[in-house]
Amino acid sequence: MIIIALVSPTGGAGRTSLASAAATQLSMLGRPVTLIQADPVNNIEFQLGFSESSPRGLGHVLLQGDSLDSVLKPISTGFQLLPFGRITVAQQLGIDRILMEQPDRLVKLLQQDQFSDNSVVIVDLPRWPSPWCHAVMALSDLNLVTLIPDSGAILGIDGLLPHLLESRGASYFLMNRFDSSKVLHLDLWTLCKMKLSHRLLPFYLHEDQALAESIAAGTPLAEYAPRSQLVDDQQKLCNWIDSEIG
């Protein structure tokens, strides 16, 4: 099993849209893929075209012992989704405590039969830092950190980088919502390159209004605007991921 963690040091960096695109593209490449929503915000189903979020999911598996079969959802584009489910603040605090005090619970979950030995598990994590980030990055084979060309996001690298270096898997950074015609974006790209060297991927995801339109329409971007620049960018990234994980 290959575990890919999607994380970012700031909100609005496009983790969830990238997670759904990566799950779709990698499944099209013949990989058995499970997409796990580990973010309590739990909005990934809207990006996949569902009209509402699932009431039960990953949170209830960890907290209440729900079976995986009862919460896993097959997606028409070829992968399976484990949504987070709707939980209260008190339940979220209980899940955080489990992750910090009983990290083996997550290990045992991923060892269940619903995850095949040759599967790819993509985990959409909450904004760093969180107990979910620490727990998943201790198990992941590849950490993909999404950045946006914003000074706050770039400053957040400094706090995250030491933890990535201690992580089990390889870590790379990806610039999202990038516009090469903007001087500020180019300046921040240069700064990231100085900070991260080879860990900054040499390509980026363009800023594309079609993404917001596709979410509003409840249609995956690849269906809403199949010829958009962002879809091409996502395909290039997924080809790189497919090669990286072997």
Side-chain angles (χ1 to χ4, degrees), residues 26-27 29-34 78-80 116-121:
L26 289 174
S27 62
L29 292 172
R31 300 270 189 177
V33 177
T34 299
F79 62 91
Q80 60 180 358
S116 61
D117 290 341
N118 64 336
S119 65
V120 176
V121 177

Side-chain angles (χ1 to χ4, degrees), residues 4 18 21-31 122 142 144 174 201 203 205 230-246:
I4 301 173
L18 179 56
T24 299
Q25 294 292 337
L26 289 174
S27 62
M28 291 175 65
L29 292 172
R31 300 270 189 177
I122 300 172
L142 175 63
L144 189 58
L174 172 71
L201 294 180
F203 50 86
L205 304 184
L230 181 54
V231 168
D232 186 64
D233 295 341
Q234 291 172 344
Q235 290 173 343
K236 180 187 297 183
L237 171 65
C238 290
N239 287 334
W240 175 84
I241 292 173
D242 188 59
S243 175
E244 182 71 14
I245 62 181

Side-chain angles (χ1 to χ4, degrees), residues 1-82:
M1 180 193 305
I2 301 294
I3 300 175
I4 301 173
L6 295 182
V7 63
S8 72
T10 185
R15 295 183 311 274
T16 299
S17 58
L18 179 56
S20 59
T24 299
Q25 294 292 337
L26 289 174
S27 62
M28 291 175 65
L29 292 172
R31 300 270 189 177
V33 177
T34 299
L35 174 54
I36 297 178
Q37 170 85 94
D39 188 345
V41 174
N42 198 35
N43 61 1
I44 202 165
E45 289 168 284
F46 296 107
Q47 298 201 16
L48 292 169
F50 292 91
S51 59
E52 61 180 3
S53 61
S54 298
R56 307 190 74 80
L58 174 61
H60 303 86
V61 172
L62 287 176
L63 195 61
Q64 300 175 357
D66 286 19
S67 70
L68 274 176
D69 285 334
S70 70
V71 294
L72 280 170
K73 300 176 68 169
I75 304 300
S76 60
T77 48
F79 62 91
Q80 60 180 358
L81 171 69
L82 177 53

Side-chain angles (χ1 to χ4, degrees), residues 213-231:
E213 294 172 359
S214 70
I215 295 172
T219 305
L221 177 63
E223 295 179 18
Y224 181 84
R227 298 184 180 179
S228 72
Q229 177 63 60
L230 181 54
V231 168

Side-chain angles (χ1 to χ4, degrees), residues 81-194:
L81 171 69
L82 177 53
F84 193 86
R86 303 176 205 152
I87 62 171
T88 65
V89 173
Q91 287 175 319
Q92 176 57 46
L93 292 173
I95 293 170
D96 289 348
R97 187 161 52 250
I98 287 172
L99 292 171
M100 291 185 289
E101 298 176 358
Q102 305 175 48
D104 60 308
R105 290 277 291 275
L106 187 58
V107 174
K108 291 177 180 177
L109 184 149
L110 294 171
Q111 289 174 340
Q112 296 189 44
D113 293 339
Q114 289 83 353
F115 302 99
S116 61
D117 290 341
N118 64 336
S119 65
V120 176
V121 177
I122 300 172
V123 188
D124 178 25
L125 291 167
R127 172 183 175 178
W128 171 271
S130 80
W132 274 108
C133 292
H134 287 283
V136 172
M137 285 165 50
L139 305 173
S140 60
D141 300 282
L142 175 63
N143 303 309
L144 189 58
V145 184
T146 57
L147 302 171
I148 52 175
D150 173 87
S151 57
I154 308 308
L155 289 172
I157 294 173
D158 294 333
L160 174 57
L161 192 55
H163 297 276
L164 289 170
L165 295 175
E166 296 172 358
S167 175
R168 173 178 177 272
S171 300
Y172 294 93
F173 291 74
L174 172 71
M175 187 68 75
N176 193 14
R177 294 168 50 190
F178 190 79
D179 186 344
S180 58
S181 68
K182 296 181 178 179
V183 174
L184 175 61
H185 287 203
L186 293 172
D187 289 345
L188 290 173
W189 173 272
T190 301
L191 178 60
C192 283
K193 187 65 178 176
M194 292 172 59

